[in-house]
Amino acid sequence: MADSAVKPVIELKNVKKVYGKDVVGLKDINLTINKGEFVVIVGLSGAGKSTLLRSINRLIDITEGDILINGESITKAKGKELRMLRRNIGMIFQSFNLVKRSSVLRNVLTGRVGYYPTWKSTLNLFTKEDKQRAYDALQQVDLADKVYTRADELSGGQQQRVAIARVLTQDPDIILADEPTASLDPQTSRRVMQDLKMLNEKHGMTVVINLHSVELAQEFGKRVIGVRAGEIIYDGKMSETPKETFDQIYSGGDQDE
Amino acid sequence: MSSTEEETLMILPKKKFKILNLFWIILFVVGLVVSTKVTKTSLGALFANFSQFADIFLQMLHPNWSYLGAVIPLILETIKMAILGTVIGSILAFVYSLLIARNIVKNKAVTGILRVIMNIIRTVPDLLLGAIFVAIVGIGPVAGILALAICTFGIVVKLFYEAIETIDPGPIEALTAVGANKLQIIVFAVLPQVMTYFISYCLYAFEINVRASTVLGYIGAGGIGLYLQETLQVFDYPKTGTIIIAIILVVVLIDYVSSKSREALMK
Ligand SMILES: Nc1ncnc2c1ncn2[C@@H]1O[C@H](COP(=O)(O)OP(=O)(O)O)[C@@H](O)[C@H]1O
Ligand SMILES: [Mg+2]
């Protein structure tokens, strides 16, 4: 912790989220994630994984506490300031969230939208460099031949890789992935996880992934965070985490921490 | 053989609703009698004047083709009115729809007030709008264009905002996460999902406008309706017949082209 070379990129301070009047999303979360980490968050469905992840780029507003991105509070950020912080955080979704009727290239280019003034992006005036960047990203996920294909003509795995190319084009410091493989078959899932690993190792991005599959978590994760009922009940290195810990995390709350 | 036939016949479920049909017929007849009594209409008059009707109809069936030269420019004016009205109304509806769609504007007070205004506008019938605009801007096609624009607005805005509200929210989320602002979200996440619907609704409004614009002239709001009124007033039915045939041809043609285009769009 005291290592000066280690730079925190995401800090959650006493973060609390209550939905409506009394549905607890998160209870008093304190968490620091450092630059270049590859973190997997595991836990039962409804444990609060999505709430935790979506709080980080403020797709969800938290009820109490503060979240810092590279030392800057996203909780207090407004307007352009908030958009600038978000531009530095890429997100991968379970349902891919591509614009299905648009071409693959246009979908990948939307990763750059945050870098343009409204009128320029609206008139589709993307620079040559950005188009090249988008094409390079598609090559890295092996989809260079699909540039002009409509997004909905691709398979689920291919669509998720387009989403990864979109994030690559966005070029953020942080990647959040909310169950990126939940709607994919095992083989495609591994491919997508490898692409996320590539973003971490080759591009130095800090990656935080919500995962349902323990096998994928064990294979790819470097740090594990276990969540249950809105609380972090485990946090440790994957290499030092025994199998029993996963059983405890997934035990549905009948065991004490 | 015959026994199996009988069996299949027995399996075949009996057609129901026979009694229900009878009920509807009785209701219809009773309704007709009661309503003529209440409104003091004489059904007899309809049949007594039938010969007169047949006479007018026969005259119309012998159209005055030399009159066509006078009709065509006004038919063209009518179509121009319909096009301009559609374009202006659609542009207004486009912007307005984005402001009242609750997945885009989160402020319920704003969307609520704008929706009430929309609903008030939608209740005014087109001929009344025509009359109002004739009173405001005077006799001529401008009044007709304005009336058609408001009509188009009413038709398109309702269909379009509902289409916007049913889009996949995923891309909106993705664009928000990327750091896009509201307009960028609309351009990149919303419009690609709804543009074909919008064009289709505009064409639909255009079809309605072509029909509506043919009678707007009747109240002085420009277009072919003016001649319709003039010829009817002097009982020149052959000329009326020419106008009606020309109108029907144009309406059928535009309906056909427009509905085919809409089908192609939705594929
Ligand atoms: N939009 C929402 N409104 C109300 N309750 C919600 C909402 N989203 C999540 N919750 C609740 O918050 C808790 C955590 O949900 P979530 O973060 O989606 O869990 P996970 O991603 O681990 O499955 C659950 O009890 C869930 O029902
Ligand atoms: Mg979830």
Side-chain angles (χ1 to χ4, degrees):
Chain A
M1 284 288 265
D3 190 345
S4 61
V6 177
K7 226 174 100 198
V9 286
I10 304 170
E11 289 168 276
L12 284 83
K13 294 182 171 169
N14 305 310
V15 171
K16 211 184 218 179
K17 170 69 189 177
V18 183
Y19 288 106
K21 280 214 173 94
D22 50 8
V23 180
V24 175
L26 299 173
K27 307 177 191 160
D28 202 31
I29 299 272
N30 283 288
L31 174 66
T32 301
I33 293 172
N34 294 315
K35 191 165 167 38
E37 281 199 272
F38 194 103
V39 183
V40 293
I41 300 176
V42 293
L44 288 167
S45 175
K49 305 183 295 296
S50 296
T51 307
L52 176 58
L53 210 67
R54 282 156 184 271
S55 300
I56 294 173
N57 62 353
R58 231 178 99 184
L59 284 185
I60 292 176
D61 279 312
I62 55 175
T63 315
E64 263 176 52
D66 199 3
I67 297 178
L68 309 181
I69 307 297
N70 288 322
E72 225 182 305
S73 168
I74 195 167
T75 317
K76 297 190 185 88
K78 282 200 200 77
K80 195 173 165 79
E81 211 184 328
L82 173 61
R83 295 201 300 273
M84 290 298 119
L85 285 170
R86 278 181 176 154
R87 195 172 80 176
N88 198 20
I89 309 172
M91 192 157 202
I92 304 281
F93 304 85
Q94 176 182 339
S95 49
F96 325 132
N97 290 1
L98 302 182
V99 183
K100 297 193 180 65
R101 300 183 71 108
S102 295
S103 72
V104 165
L105 180 66
R106 195 168 165 80
N107 267 291
V108 174
L109 274 171
T110 61
R112 293 308 284 177
V113 163
Y115 293 88
Y116 285 82
T118 311
W119 68 273
K120 254 192 184 170
S121 57
T122 304
L123 296 176
N124 212 5
L125 295 173
F126 290 103
T127 60
K128 257 218 172 90
E129 296 82 72
D130 279 348
K131 284 182 191 159
Q132 189 59 45
R133 194 194 286 264
Y135 186 65
D136 290 345
L138 280 170
Q139 278 179 323
Q140 290 196 52
V141 295
D142 285 334
L143 286 173
D145 55 329
K146 304 283 188 203
V147 195
Y148 297 112
T149 310
R150 246 175 70 154
D152 55 4
E153 286 167 21
L154 301 181
S155 71
Q158 287 172 327
Q159 288 192 37
Q160 194 59 298
R161 273 149 57 210
V162 171
I164 289 171
R166 177 172 64 189
V167 149
L168 200 51
T169 310
Q170 184 184 342
D171 193 25
D173 288 344
I174 300 162
I175 304 276
L176 308 173
D178 193 1
E179 307 214 15
T181 62
S183 40
L184 304 177
D185 61 69
Q187 212 177 341
T188 328
S189 295
R190 293 196 72 250
R191 171 69 217 256
V192 165
M193 289 303 293
Q194 270 155 7
D195 284 334
L196 288 168
K197 190 175 164 186
M198 177 262 294
L199 294 179
N200 176 248
E201 290 178 354
K202 194 167 147 207
H203 298 273
M205 299 176 185
T206 307
V207 177
V208 186
I209 310 183
N210 283 348
L211 270 184
H212 211 66
S213 147
V214 176
E215 290 82 60
L216 286 178
Q218 283 178 317
E219 183 177 347
F220 289 93
K222 307 242 174 65
R223 174 177 170 190
V224 204
I225 291 173
V227 177
R228 188 202 289 162
E231 284 179 295
I232 293 181
I233 55 164
Y234 180 83
D235 186 351
K237 279 189 182 159
M238 182 63 78
S239 54
E240 296 165 5
T241 305
K243 180 83 183 69
E244 297 77 64
T245 306
F246 285 97
D247 297 338
Q248 268 172 34
I249 293 169
Y250 283 100
S251 64
D254 52 2
Q255 272 174 295
D256 285 347
E257 299 168 18
Chain B
M1 271 295 247
S2 70
S3 71
T4 53
E5 243 170 54
E6 247 169 61
E7 257 174 28
T8 48
L9 274 180
M10 278 174 57
I11 292 164
L12 195 74
K14 283 225 175 89
K15 202 174 170 184
K16 284 177 196 161
F17 303 125
K18 275 221 169 126
I19 294 168
L20 202 63
N21 283 345
L22 194 68
F23 169 77
W24 287 124
I25 290 167
I26 291 170
L27 190 74
F28 177 74
V29 172
V30 169
L32 192 68
V33 172
V34 169
S35 61
T36 49
K37 277 263 161 60
V38 169
T39 58
K40 300 202 172 65
T41 334
S42 156
L43 274 180
L46 185 65
F47 296 102
N49 291 333
F50 190 76
S51 67
Q52 199 189 338
F53 171 72
D55 182 43
I56 294 174
F57 192 68
L58 270 180
Q59 284 193 49
M60 285 189 185
L61 278 186
H62 294 87
N64 179 352
W65 292 120
S66 62
Y67 190 54
L68 209 56
V71 168
I72 287 175
L74 268 185
I75 286 266
L76 288 179
E77 184 184 89
T78 312
I79 296 174
K80 276 187 210 158
M81 278 167 53
I83 292 176
L84 268 172
T86 311
V87 169
I88 296 170
S90 301
I91 292 171
L92 292 176
F94 183 87
V95 178
Y96 207 90
S97 300
L98 291 168
L99 294 174
I100 61 174
R102 296 220 158 113
N103 51 350
I104 295 181
V105 175
K106 293 284 191 277
N107 188 328
K108 285 237 167 91
V110 171
T111 55
I113 291 167
L114 291 177
R115 279 179 195 204
V116 169
I117 296 172
M118 171 197 79
N119 282 321
I120 292 169
I121 292 172
R122 277 170 50 80
T123 52
V124 187
D126 47 2
L127 275 175
L128 180 55
L129 281 170
I132 292 171
F133 281 115
V134 165
I136 297 174
V137 299
I139 286 177
V142 175
I145 291 168
L146 292 175
L148 292 173
I150 302 293
C151 264
T152 308
F153 173 81
I155 297 165
V156 176
V157 79
K158 177 120 199 300
L159 293 168
F160 190 45
Y161 99 77
E162 284 175 356
I164 294 174
E165 287 193 337
T166 54
I167 62 169
D168 170 15
I172 296 182
E173 210 172 39
L175 263 290
T176 307
V178 137
N181 63 30
K182 206 87 203 176
L183 266 171
Q184 290 171 326
I185 291 172
I186 290 173
V187 169
F188 285 91
V190 180
L191 296 188
Q193 296 192 59
V194 292
M195 269 328 268
T196 53
Y197 291 96
F198 178 69
I199 295 167
S200 163
Y201 299 151
C202 294
L203 285 172
Y204 171 65
F206 180 60
E207 288 167 35
I208 293 174
N209 283 347
V210 170
R211 257 171 280 181
S213 62
T214 55
V215 290
L216 275 173
Y218 225 93
I219 52 165
I224 191 71
L226 177 67
Y227 281 15
L228 206 58
Q229 186 222 23
E230 279 178 8
T231 57
L232 277 172
Q233 235 161 27
V234 297
F235 309 113
D236 194 341
Y237 296 122
K239 281 187 178 176
T240 313
T242 317
I243 297 170
I244 291 177
I245 290 172
I247 289 176
I248 290 175
L249 279 179
V250 167
V251 168
V252 166
L253 185 74
I254 287 180
D255 259 16
Y256 178 79
V257 173
S258 172
S259 61
K260 281 287 161 200
S261 322
R262 286 196 283 134
E263 265 173 42
L265 264 176
M266 283 310 164
K267 262 180 201 159

